[in-house]
Amino acid sequence: MTQPEALPPVPVVRLVGAGFGYEGVVAARADLVVQAGEVVALLGANGSGKSTIIKGMLGLIDHLGGEVEWFGRPMASFRERWRVGYVPQRELAASPVPATLDEVVRSGRVARIGLLGRYRAADRRAVARAIRTVGLDERRRTPVRQLSGGQQRRALVARALAGDAEVLVLDEPFAGVDHESQEALAATFRDLAANGVTLIVVLHEVGPLEGVVTRSVCIDNGEVLYDGPPGQRPASMPDDPDPHGGHDHHHSGDHEQRPRLGLLP
Amino acid sequence: MSASAALLSIEVLDYDFMRRALVAAVLVGLAAPATGVFLVQRRLALIGDGLGHVAVTGVALGLVLDRAPVFVALITAVIGAVVLELIRSRREAVAEMALAILFYGGIAGGVVLVSRAPAGGRSLNQYLFGSITTTSTSDLVTFGVLAVVVMTVTVALGPALFTVSSDEEFARASGLPVVPLNLTLAVLSALTVVISMRVVGVLLVSALMVVPVAAAQLVTRSFRSTYLAGILVGAVVSVSGVVASYYLDTPPGGTIVLFAIGLFAVTLIAQALVRALR
Ligand SMILES: Nc1ncnc2c1ncn2[C@@H]1O[C@H](COP(=O)(O)OP(=O)(O)OP(=O)(O)O)[C@@H](O)[C@H]1O
Ligand SMILES: [Mg+2]
């Protein structure tokens, strides 16, 4: 841990020896404490356990030992879910019944309005703002099944933004998103961070969030291998910095050479 | 409304049993797609069939015990729906198998049980194929209550049900009570199945839940408009099916469903024509 020892405030999220997995089998175990205002990049090769940790801390998969606390409360009794926004790694879930982008993004406010609530003017404004932020303004009334893959990824980001959460947990928010939209999203995340929003972001390269990330956490083989300030490596890093995984490390080939953060500092 | 249509409906309304049938048609026509739209979104469109089959066992049990068959069917369908949902929430992988077992177990149980019933199998027919024209006033009260429950719950829980049936993982991340919401939808489906059973028959229950939604989504772009158009289509085809069956002397249940499918087909063709002409 590189956090200063001066009595920290209640962390946003605190994992202590927290094990997560599928069907009772542990796939990743992590110790991680994130304070308000941090921008934490989770890095690691395919299959290293980044998504497992993310989903585990949100209570979406099996919690197998250890502790998970949100804002000082054990996950099981944490009710203020509107404080946390989530962007999954996948595309938008298919909608067999037509649903407009507006309707899907609006569901990002469902934690705020509660079980029997209705969407009100403030909700509609937040939704409009979120959709504008991801640059899909003219697609608001489009059925989501007519959106391209990258547009669907942006819709997922908009859904999380719409909730006006204090913490955003983002699983590869840039994957499949074109360069221009990446820049726009990065600018949004920069603004959010500047306004004190805590970001926990799974990334394959820090690229678009260069200078925004305050800390990087490298995952390998289901364990935290490094946790500290984002070290920088020149673009001449070896292609696969992961010594264990024989998995294909995915690159988006159309990026110009940006300084890349190595998996190992 | 044209003069002849007015005459037709007036003649239909001369008979008490037809008046009750039409009210039943409206109630069921509204309620079935209101549930169906969420089932389609959850990719559980055929669950209505499974629950219908379970309801058959309930009807048979009711006949054997000489208790109100609709009431016993309601209980068995709700139990079936809850069990199915609990299996699905624990082990997604076996859910389809569980649905299949429900299907066959329901029918088999019904057939065996009904052979023990005093009146034999005859009265089971009205549940298998529907018998809207034998709707009694007390049936109407039951249908009315159930329809109001279904519509109220789907509207009141609309945002939550939409979220959970569109993206269960995100619903869980949002802190929605996912399992209770899914159970609610399962129970609504059971209620809908049981009220639809008397109108179109167990064999066509799912059709009334799904086909109006299928027809509506041909022309709609949003979930909300699909819900509204779906219940409108449901009510219109149910009423027109009942009226037509009176004049054509056909079984109302089958006629209603054929009307719904006809509307679907006509919309599809009209759409293709419009596209071709553009
Ligand atoms: N649904 C699942 N059931 C069983 N095992 C899983 C499941 N999802 C992931 N795993 C396993 O857990 C491990 C970690 O996977 P995870 O999805 O967390 O990787 P990741 O770091 O997010 O990779 P990527 O960069 O490809 O997204 C892998 O070995 C994977 O096979
Ligand atoms: Mg992942």
Side-chain angles (χ1 to χ4, degrees):
Chain A
M1 282 294 133
T2 56
Q3 291 303 303
E5 293 301 329
L7 285 176
V10 177
V12 165
V13 63
R14 179 166 164 271
L15 310 185
V16 183
F20 306 119
Y22 307 89
E23 288 169 26
V25 181
V26 176
R29 200 170 274 290
D31 287 277
L32 184 68
V33 180
V34 177
Q35 300 291 349
E38 283 195 278
V39 179
V40 179
L42 281 186
L43 304 155
N46 289 144
S48 56
K50 306 179 297 293
S51 299
T52 301
I53 292 174
I54 292 276
K55 289 188 206 163
M57 69 167 88
L58 291 166
L60 304 176
I61 55 174
D62 297 353
H63 179 189
L64 307 163
E67 287 171 45
V68 180
E69 278 179 6
W70 284 95
F71 300 98
R73 279 188 152 274
M75 178 169 59
S77 61
F78 174 64
R79 293 277 169 275
E80 301 164 326
R81 288 293 188 141
W82 60 86
R83 299 175 76 177
V84 185
Y86 169 53
V87 177
Q89 185 175 6
R90 54 188 165 76
E91 283 182 6
L92 218 49
S95 182
V97 176
T100 61
L101 175 63
D102 219 61
E103 288 178 312
V104 169
V105 172
R106 204 183 295 158
S107 66
R109 305 273 306 171
V110 80
R112 283 193 174 270
I113 66 168
L115 203 52
L116 289 168
R118 319 290 318 159
Y119 297 114
R120 309 205 178 280
D123 300 302
R124 281 189 282 275
R125 277 195 299 277
V127 168
R129 202 180 331 118
I131 293 177
R132 210 174 313 119
T133 303
V134 301
L136 289 175
D137 225 4
E138 72 289 4
R139 291 306 189 108
R140 280 186 64 174
R141 312 246 171 261
T142 306
V144 285
R145 60 181 167 201
Q146 291 175 17
L147 298 179
S148 76
Q151 289 172 334
Q152 294 196 22
R153 297 281 310 145
R154 282 148 67 189
L156 287 171
V157 174
R159 184 177 66 175
L161 292 176
D164 290 325
E166 292 162 50
V167 194
L168 289 177
V169 180
L170 312 150
D171 200 344
E172 302 197 25
F174 299 117
V177 172
D178 64 56
H179 188 72
E180 200 180 321
S181 311
Q182 281 198 15
E183 299 280 295
L185 282 185
T188 305
F189 295 147
R190 190 171 297 129
D191 287 349
L192 289 170
N195 284 314
V197 174
T198 310
L199 302 175
I200 300 171
V201 199
V202 174
L203 293 171
H204 274 289
E205 35 190 284
V206 173
L209 288 185
E210 193 76 64
V212 183
V213 171
T214 60
R215 172 178 163 202
S216 56
V217 173
C218 302
I219 313 295
D220 184 39
N221 243 330
E223 282 173 42
V224 175
L225 206 65
Y226 168 81
D227 183 349
Q232 302 218 339
R233 283 285 181 95
S236 62
M237 277 279 302
D239 235 21
D240 188 355
D242 175 11
H244 303 280
H247 317 276
D248 49 330
H249 201 78
H250 88 232
H251 293 276
S252 5
D254 57 341
H255 287 161
E256 59 271 46
Q257 300 286 20
R258 284 204 215 87
R260 245 184 89 211
L261 185 100
L263 178 65
L264 301 170
Chain B
M1 204 195 285
S2 73
S4 59
L7 274 178
L8 285 182
S9 41
I10 285 166
E11 189 194 324
V12 165
L13 289 175
D14 274 349
Y15 301 98
D16 261 358
F17 76 92
M18 280 309 284
R19 278 204 293 269
R20 285 196 295 270
L22 286 171
V23 174
V26 171
L27 292 174
V28 171
L30 291 172
T35 314
V37 69
F38 292 101
L39 294 178
V40 172
Q41 183 72 343
R42 271 195 83 192
R43 301 166 176 283
L44 285 177
L46 295 183
I47 199 176
D49 280 317
L51 295 179
H53 288 58
V54 174
V56 171
T57 294
V59 167
L61 195 62
L63 293 173
V64 171
L65 300 176
D66 201 19
R67 292 273 188 296
V70 170
F71 187 68
V72 183
L74 185 63
I75 292 172
T76 52
V78 167
I79 292 173
V82 169
V83 167
L84 194 62
E85 185 49 44
L86 290 177
I87 292 175
R88 210 201 55 84
S89 69
R90 303 249 143 74
R91 298 274 310 276
E92 178 94 57
V94 300
E96 203 173 336
M97 214 75 83
L99 187 59
I101 290 171
L102 211 62
F103 247 98
Y104 309 129
I107 281 287
V111 170
V112 170
L113 275 174
V114 85
S115 69
R116 293 272 168 269
R122 248 167 302 124
S123 41
L124 192 61
N125 272 353
Q126 59 175 316
Y127 298 96
L128 287 179
F129 303 104
S131 73
I132 194 172
T133 46
T134 62
T135 307
S136 67
T137 310
S138 74
D139 284 340
L140 272 192
V141 173
T142 314
F143 292 179
V145 170
L146 295 181
V148 168
V149 168
V150 168
M151 307 285 288
T152 309
V153 173
T154 52
V155 171
L157 289 175
L161 283 176
F162 170 75
T163 307
V164 84
S165 34
S166 306
D167 191 338
E168 202 169 296
E169 187 192 49
F170 184 75
R172 215 169 307 128
S174 302
L176 288 178
V178 169
V179 172
L181 280 169
N182 283 336
L183 284 174
T184 304
L185 191 58
V187 171
L188 287 184
S189 314
L191 297 184
T192 310
V193 162
V194 173
I195 53 177
S196 312
M197 178 173 77
R198 281 294 304 279
V199 173
V200 289
V202 159
L203 299 175
L204 292 172
V205 158
S206 238
L208 200 53
M209 294 165 89
V210 172
V211 180
V213 176
Q217 57 90 39
L218 288 174
V219 293
T220 55
R221 291 167 70 81
S222 72
F223 192 86
R224 191 185 136 83
S225 57
T226 311
Y227 177 97
L228 293 173
I231 62 177
L232 184 69
V233 169
V236 167
V237 298
S238 297
V239 168
S240 46
V242 168
V243 172
S245 74
Y246 173 82
Y247 289 102
L248 303 173
D249 197 18
T250 50
T255 314
I256 290 172
V257 173
L258 286 180
F259 266 54
I261 292 174
L263 190 67
F264 176 83
V266 167
T267 313
L268 202 62
I269 292 165
Q271 234 175 8
L273 282 179
V274 167
R275 273 200 202 116
L277 291 176
R278 261 211 223 118

